[in-house]
Amino acid sequence: MQYRYIDGNNNAWNISKKWIEYKPISKVLSSSGNYSGGEPFQAKITTRQYRAIRSLLQNAMSNTAIHLPNRLMGSGTIIEFTEEDDQTATCYLPMNSPEKAAIEDWLNQLKN
């Protein structure tokens, strides 16, 4: 499976078994006109790293009790794809959910 995670600031993370790509939002595209997600990057990841982030994403996707009916400001979005790039599932996570925080904490460590 491949995933796209869109964080609460609208930065996008594309996650595959071997790569993570970060596509930040620019000041021009941010709702405030002041926020920048930083610099884009792409990094190789290990099988262990892929399994760790996949576990966090799947945990959030399986906890349907917290899912929002649509994307709200500050919420997180998980989009799941097959290897053939077919979208299979989407869910929206509340801004203050522990699942959203765990995913973003894990991903943001890669920016350092």
Side-chain angles (χ1 to χ4, degrees):
M1 293 304 252
Q2 298 181 67
Y3 300 89
R4 177 169 299 129
Y5 180 74
I6 302 167
D7 67 24
N9 292 313
N10 221 23
N11 300 303
W13 298 83
N14 295 316
I15 303 156
S16 72
K17 290 181 180 179
K18 298 190 186 266
W19 295 93
I20 288 186
E21 179 183 28
Y22 176 63
K23 293 184 171 187
I25 193 162
S26 66
K27 286 183 181 183
V28 172
L29 296 177
S30 75
S31 60
S32 69
N34 296 315
Y35 173 80
S36 169
E39 294 298 317
F41 70 87
Q42 186 176 40
K44 281 187 174 185
I45 59 171
T46 65
T47 300
R48 176 183 243 167
Q49 288 173 308
Y50 175 75
R51 287 181 183 153
I53 189 58
R54 183 185 68 189
S55 176
L56 292 171
L57 293 164
Q58 288 179 339
N59 178 56
M61 292 182 80
S62 67
N63 188 359
T64 58
I66 67 164
H67 293 177
L68 299 169
N70 51 35
R71 181 161 166 77
L72 301 174
M73 189 171 188
S75 63
T77 304
I78 301 171
I79 306 168
E80 185 178 62
F81 298 91
T82 64
E83 295 297 324
E84 294 77 33
D85 216 24
D86 295 324
Q87 185 174 338
T88 62
T90 300
C91 71
Y92 305 105
L93 307 176
M95 182 185 326
N96 296 319
S97 71
E99 292 85 353
K100 178 181 175 291
I103 292 165
E104 292 183 13
D105 287 347
W106 194 95
L107 289 169
N108 284 324
Q109 290 178 36
L110 297 175
K111 292 196 308 189
N112 298 332

